Amino acid sequence: MTATPTGYVTVVWDAKAKAGREADLKAFITAAVTPSRNDPGNIDYEAHEVEGRPGEFVIYERWETRAHLDAHLAAPRMRELVPQMLALIDGSIEDGIRLLRPFRPAH
């Protein structure tokens, strides 16, 4: 992931709960949102459940810089949360990460 031309970084993370762990993953994500919003450099941190697909989630994040995102990912609480998250999701964390690059029409 790299910073956009305007400096901020946008990340979209898709996650699917393991079968039978849908409510657990939703509770886990719900508990993680506020601490992430309070990390330095956070612009937006929003969790969504995909309508009509229980257990499928999308997290939309914007950070002032790549350094802020990296600090968030390296926070001590993240080292504790990652193993817990891996027990709840289908696949890896990295599989669901996408970086968005903003663009605008010339006119």
Side-chain angles (χ1 to χ4, degrees):
M1 292 182 283
T2 57
T4 64
T6 57
Y8 69 86
V9 177
T10 303
V11 178
V12 174
W13 180 59
D14 298 302
K16 183 175 180 174
K18 289 181 179 177
R21 305 299 306 265
E22 297 85 358
D24 296 330
L25 181 56
K26 185 172 185 175
F28 178 88
I29 291 170
T30 300
V33 168
T34 299
S36 295
R37 285 180 178 160
N38 290 325
D39 281 345
N42 179 258
I43 299 169
D44 290 312
Y45 198 101
E46 299 294 333
H48 307 272
E49 187 169 18
V50 178
E51 189 171 332
R53 297 182 179 182
E56 290 189 31
F57 302 92
V58 175
I59 295 179
Y60 173 85
E61 311 171 35
R62 283 194 315 152
W63 299 90
E64 291 177 13
T65 66
R66 176 59 195 252
H68 286 103
L69 172 60
D70 290 344
H72 161 72
L73 296 172
R77 76 175 185 283
M78 296 303 278
R79 286 189 290 276
E80 295 175 17
L81 294 178
V82 168
Q84 296 171 31
M85 188 182 316
L86 288 171
L88 299 172
I89 66 172
D90 191 17
S92 73
I93 295 169
E94 293 81 11
D95 289 343
I97 294 176
R98 294 179 286 149
L99 176 69
L100 304 182
R101 290 189 191 157
F103 67 93
R104 294 182 181 206
H107 299 288

